[in-house]
Structures are given as C-alpha cells and as structure tokens.
Amino acid sequence: MLLISFIITMSASTITSSVDRKQSTVTLYAEVLRDKPPCFGAYRRDTNQTTRGNCTDKRITWASRPDENPALQVDPVAITHDGNYTCQIITSDGNFYHEYHLQVLVPPEVTLVQTEKGTAECKAAAGKPAAQISWTPEGDCVTEQEPYWGDGTVTVQSTCRWGGRHVLNVSCSVSHLAGNKSLSIELDKGVRTLGFPGSDLLIILCMKFSLLLVILVFVGFIHFQRTNDCRSRK
C-alpha cells in the first residue's frame, strides 16, 4: 500500500511518499514549475546514490536521508515554487507514483482611503490568488482587477460611493485564502459622495430648466420694452 502525505509549514513544504523501504529500488521525483522546464532527481538504494539531474534550485532538497524517508522539502517557499510535484518509487512489486499541485498563497496588502471626490477606495494589492472585497454599508461600487504581475500576484481595487446618502463611517472587508482583513474609515464630515439617485437628478434638471426659462422670459421682456420705446419716439 502506498501512503502519501503533504505538509505545509510556515517555512517549508514537504512532499512525502512511503512504501516498504526494503522493497524500494529507485525513488524519483519530478518538478514542473510555472514558466520553467521540468526537472528530475533520483535516489538509488542499491548504490546509495542521489542525483539532482537538471534541478538547480537548492531550496528543493531531500528532507532527510532518502533511504529512511523519501521526502522533498522546499525551504523557504517562494512564488516560483508553484507547480506540480510527482514522486515515483520503483519496487519489485511494481511502480508507485503520486502527483501534487503546490499552490503558494500570498496575502495582499490592504489599504482604505477617501479620495478627493469623496468616494472610498479599498485596495488589496499583490495578492495570490485574487482577493474579494465587500463593503459595509453597501453602496454603488466598482471593482477592478489589475493585470497579473510577472510573479503571478493580482491587485484588486474597489471604489464605492453612497449617492446622496449621509454616510459617516464605511468598512471594507477583504476575503483571501491566506486570511481575511477588515478596515474602517470615517468620511470627512459625513460627506455626500458624488453621484445622485434618479429622483434627485430629475429635480436638479427641472430646477435648472425653470431658471433658464425665467431668464429667457426676462430677456424677452426687456427686448420688447426697448422695441416699444423706439417706436414711440418715432
């Protein structure tokens, strides 16, 4: 029976495959990492020899003596260690293998600020994978995701306004696989952020139209009076 366990600690990740060590002949491992060619390493029990093949990353090593525990250790873990790891053990009973996909999580840097326009801007920068942003209270929000950086991290930015409502305090909550975070901010003097509900906008347009109509009537009246004065003099 082939028993395999996968352990991730704060500083390292270990890929372990174990079978009856008396029967094992060769232990192989393969790494297929993001944007890199595959690399292979091996341990041969009968000659007690290890080889790294074309693997050059010195952070990926045997966790201990491969004849006692055929485990790979990645220490310290970096974003570039994202990828597939395969362990294969060749024995007299046959070949055993198992594959793992290692996903490295990067917590985003979270900020919350009020802009000059009176809106609130919450940003989760350089996280992996992309974070999710929600607001309290809910408002009219636009969330954008910037293109992936070269290292695979993502920046998510959400800009929110509360159209005409008198809002004093707002909070943004960032959800991420590496941990959640919430920030709050007090808007300056309970600012009414830019943007108006449909009813308010209609009232404003009507007031502007009425004012324009009054001005036109007044100008027309003045013009009419001057025209009459000129005729009377003639």
Side-chain angles (χ1 to χ4, degrees):
M1 182 180 181
L2 178 61
L3 302 176
I4 300 177
S5 62
F6 185 51
I7 304 172
I8 300 179
T9 65
M10 292 297 292
S11 61
S13 62
T14 304
I15 300 175
T16 305
S17 296
S18 59
V19 297
D20 187 348
R21 286 188 287 270
K22 294 180 180 179
Q23 296 179 356
S24 63
T25 303
V26 178
T27 301
L28 303 172
Y29 70 85
E31 307 163 16
V32 183
L33 308 183
R34 178 170 50 86
D35 300 330
K36 291 185 178 181
C39 86
F40 305 89
Y43 165 73
R44 190 178 180 93
R45 181 180 177 81
D46 55 356
T47 59
N48 195 30
Q49 291 182 334
T50 60
T51 176
R52 292 185 57 85
N54 61 330
C55 299
T56 58
D57 192 338
K58 295 183 179 180
R59 293 169 293 185
I60 303 176
T61 61
W62 295 104
S64 59
R65 290 179 53 181
D67 59 329
E68 295 180 352
N69 183 16
L72 277 186
Q73 177 171 282
V74 186
D75 187 11
V77 176
I79 297 179
T80 53
H81 292 131
D82 252 6
N84 296 320
Y85 294 77
T86 301
C87 177
Q88 181 177 3
I89 296 181
I90 302 174
T91 73
S92 57
D93 292 335
N95 299 344
F96 302 88
Y97 70 94
H98 199 90
E99 181 177 296
Y100 285 100
H101 175 72
L102 176 61
Q103 181 185 30
V104 179
L105 305 179
V106 179
E109 181 180 351
V110 181
T111 56
L112 174 60
V113 297
Q114 181 180 348
T115 68
E116 294 179 355
K117 297 180 180 180
T119 60
E121 181 181 280
C122 185
K123 180 182 289 188
K128 184 176 179 297
Q132 294 182 332
I133 298 177
S134 60
W135 290 89
T136 303
E138 295 182 354
D140 181 13
C141 305
V142 177
T143 301
E144 298 176 333
Q145 181 173 304
E146 294 183 5
Y148 282 74
W149 296 80
D151 58 3
T153 58
V154 189
T155 295
V156 180
Q157 178 176 301
S158 181
T159 303
C160 216
R161 59 186 181 184
W162 289 265
R165 285 189 290 162
H166 194 67
V167 178
L168 293 174
N169 297 282
V170 297
S171 299
C172 80
S173 299
V174 176
S175 302
H176 193 266
L177 292 177
N180 302 328
K181 189 171 185 178
S182 180
L183 295 179
S184 299
I185 189 173
E186 181 178 351
L187 299 180
D188 293 344
K189 299 179 181 179
V191 162
R192 289 178 179 263
T193 58
L194 295 181
F196 303 94
S199 58
D200 289 353
L201 183 59
L202 183 61
I203 293 173
I204 293 175
L205 290 176
C206 290
M207 292 177 62
K208 288 184 177 181
F209 180 77
S210 299
L211 180 61
L212 178 61
L213 184 61
V214 170
I215 294 175
L216 290 176
V217 171
F218 180 75
V219 172
F221 178 76
I222 297 297
H223 178 72
F224 178 76
Q225 288 292 337
R226 288 182 177 179
T227 302
N228 285 341
D229 291 343
C230 291
R231 288 179 180 176
S232 298
R233 292 175 183 177
K234 290 180 180 181

